[in-house]
Amino acid sequence: MRVIHMNGCSNRFAIFDGRHANAPFRPQAEQIRHIARPRSGESFDQIIGLENSERGDVFMRIWNADGSEVKACGNASRCVGHLIGKELGQPDIKIETEAGLLQSYMNDDGSVTVDMGSPLLSWESIPLAEKMDTRGVDVKIGPIDAPVLSRPACVSMGNPHAVFFVDDIARFDIPSVGPLVEWHPLFPEGVNVGFAQVLDRETIRLRVWERGAGLTLACGTGACAALVCAARLDKTERKARMILDGGELVIEWRESDDHVLMTGPIEMEAEFNQ
Ligand SMILES: N[C@H](CCC[C@H](N)C(=O)O)C(=O)O
């Protein structure tokens, strides 16, 4: 089977192309964990399986490093858009995922734009365990009388996100607070946890503790989630530059059709057969 290593803003993926194999790539969770986080050697944030699709040019299956299968991965969508676009010799590609059909576009400067569709804003769609206003939900982290984090905004991009807006992102030890939110009882399916510092109305500094993968150098759906929550709270415009540890993404929550567009670089690292 053909294996490709790629990254989007240093969010790293191992992509297994099962489209011409005798059977689709459907590993057990333990196998995923072994590939993503080997005892030695390079690690990956997500493992991606490519399958044939009736509705699109390719079907993309996504597993987090902990072995859990999930429905959306923005940076991997951009990598797959590039891979299949090059293969088919066409810039526009339809990627089928468990969350629906995504459209990707290869831009002249080598970046890739993916239309992630509309954000889901209702408490049931995140999902939350109970009815709440998703512009600020009832979560407090830290001492009861002086929480260090509270009232994240929530949105689903096909996967659940909680975004804390903070004054100084450097103040937070994300590996210690991230897990406290990731599996908080308010999020029955877990949640990706964003820490967003609004620098101005068109720039956000963002770090994300990802569900099932931990602190990654970039999170595409996390960047979409942070922009949607910021614009919804009138902290930014509907288009902004997202500055992540591993690079920059431009996110636009388009007014005309309510779709969220994510644009950024991709990098082909290696390709081999195994
Ligand atoms: N950890 C996420 C999936 C990968 C998201 C991220 N790598 C992206 O680029 O969107 C989840 O459990 O929903």
Side-chain angles (χ1 to χ4, degrees), residues 11 13 46 64 70 72-75 159-160 192 210-211 219-222:
N11 190 195
F13 312 107
Q46 278 79 36
N64 279 319
V70 293
C73 181
N75 283 318
N159 58 352
N192 296 283
E210 284 197 33
R211 177 182 62 168
C219 177
T221 50

Side-chain angles (χ1 to χ4, degrees), residues 163-172 194-207 226 230 235-236 241-243:
V163 182
F164 291 96
F165 288 98
V166 299
D167 295 336
D168 179 2
I169 204 166
R171 272 189 42 231
F172 294 91
F195 297 79
Q197 182 178 341
V198 176
L199 302 181
D200 61 44
R201 285 194 63 84
E202 294 174 337
T203 318
I204 298 176
R205 172 79 174 94
L206 177 68
R207 302 186 83 194
K235 293 176 181 288
T236 64
R241 189 164 58 94
M242 315 301 284
I243 303 172

Side-chain angles (χ1 to χ4, degrees), residues 57-158:
D57 297 303
V58 66
F59 185 97
M60 179 175 86
R61 199 167 292 281
I62 308 154
W63 292 270
N64 279 319
D66 70 352
S68 58
E69 184 173 349
V70 293
K71 297 178 180 173
C73 181
N75 283 318
S77 304
R78 294 191 301 100
C79 288
V80 169
H82 172 91
L83 202 60
I84 306 301
K86 284 284 187 201
E87 182 184 294
L88 298 181
Q90 61 187 68
D92 302 359
I93 293 296
K94 280 192 178 51
I95 304 171
E96 186 182 4
T97 67
E98 291 291 1
L101 206 54
L102 307 177
Q103 179 80 42
S104 83
Y105 309 86
M106 294 167 68
N107 302 308
D108 294 343
D109 64 359
S111 67
V112 180
T113 298
V114 173
D115 177 341
M116 297 297 289
S118 297
L120 304 176
L121 303 174
S122 67
W123 69 275
E124 306 95 324
S125 63
I126 305 299
L128 301 183
E130 57 185 284
K131 182 176 170 49
M132 269 185 201
D133 180 345
T134 54
R135 286 171 297 178
V137 303
D138 189 12
V139 167
K140 291 189 177 72
I141 302 296
I144 295 293
D145 56 348
V148 294
L149 284 168
S150 62
R151 297 191 64 68
C154 293
V155 63
S156 171
M157 291 305 305

